[in-house]
Amino acid sequence: MTVAPVYKQGWTMDDVHWSLFDPSKVDPALLATVKAAALVEYNAPDYVSYLKRVFVNASPQTISDIEQWGREEAQHGRALGRWAEMADPSFRLEEAFARFRKGYTPDHFNDVGDASVRGSRRGEMIARCVVESGTSSYYSAIRDASEEPVLQEIAGRIAADEYRHYKLFYDIQHAQPEPELGFWRKLWIAIGRVRESDDDELAFSYYCANVSPEQEATTPYDRKKFSQLASKASMAAYHRKHIDRLVQMVVKAVGANPHGWLAQIAGALLWRRLETKSA
Ligand SMILES: [Fe+2]
Ligand SMILES: [Fe+2]
């Protein structure tokens, strides 16, 4: 039996064993989804500015945790991008990222106000926990599905970071001097954030990462089509256990029992939805 390595916080690009890269073990569906994920991760500095506005006047520790979080997310983008460039020499992280940035900016990043779009800091942290639950399970799925050793390692390192991010935002949520939100309110925020996964971010990042500038004229962007292709590529990695884990983390973030009825029903529904969407 092989024991999974423990990846600690604070790793750098130099810690990755790049020389073990084996091009014969690259899976095309995983490559397509990893390229798209690299662009989303690399976009982290925008989230940092937004979160710092939401947490204006927060403790220096919270601000420095948010900054450290942003650095780790951007490094995820660099590591995934570098791996994708090795696996597909025609892929250029910076070039694909520039196209993604040009065409995608969520409205709330442009707001000059300092209020969270989720209504409160606690609400903001629930939404962040949803995202970190998603990324933590996504990279665990990639790690488990990849036979290519460097991708296995990077995904393992990132999955461990994402789980720590979830814990960080979970703790910040509970440390806020704001009244505790009611269960249904929390659930509503979490569902709202899950539904936003249908927005342009995933579909457009998949498009910019997998359709070259030369192909743009003949293959124009179509949100529905590329959302479906993005789901299909990521579903190549997922197993039911990854979805159950994701749901348990989200359910815990809204204050319910991660092993109770809500988690069971939500897990079954989400799995069915993803299967249909990627079929
Ligand atoms: Fe990340
Ligand atoms: Fe994260």
Side-chain angles (χ1 to χ4, degrees), residues 41 72-73 76 132 135 139 158 162 165:
E41 297 273 355
E72 290 176 11
E73 300 293 14
H76 297 169
E132 303 294 350
T135 52
Y139 292 110
I158 298 180
E162 308 295 17
H165 295 163

Side-chain angles (χ1 to χ4, degrees), residues 191-243:
I191 291 172
R193 187 57 192 83
V194 172
R195 286 179 61 89
E196 277 171 35
S197 311
D198 284 340
D199 82 0
D200 258 352
E201 189 173 32
L202 300 183
F204 193 58
S205 61
Y206 186 89
Y207 177 80
C208 295
N210 290 289
V211 175
S212 69
E214 298 76 43
Q215 295 167 315
E216 264 181 24
T218 48
T219 315
Y221 177 57
D222 171 333
R223 180 192 290 198
K224 201 169 164 212
K225 177 179 159 193
F226 284 93
S227 163
Q228 215 162 22
L229 287 171
S231 302
K232 210 170 182 154
S234 59
M235 278 302 281
Y238 276 106
H239 286 278
R240 178 68 194 264
K241 68 175 181 188
H242 304 114
I243 297 297

Side-chain angles (χ1 to χ4, degrees), residues 6 22 24 30 32 53 67 91 101 108 128 133 172-173 179 203 227 229 237-238 264 274:
V6 178
D22 181 349
S24 71
L30 292 184
R53 286 205 305 271
E67 286 171 346
F91 177 71
R101 284 280 299 190
H108 55 279
R128 282 307 324 162
S133 305
I172 295 181
Q173 181 202 156
S227 163
L229 287 171
Y238 276 106
Q264 280 177 17
L274 290 173

Side-chain angles (χ1 to χ4, degrees), residues 52-68:
K52 279 169 76 175
R53 286 205 305 271
V54 172
F55 281 89
V56 70
N57 301 328
S59 71
Q61 184 60 51
T62 301
I63 298 296
S64 108
D65 285 344
I66 289 173
E67 286 171 346
Q68 175 61 22

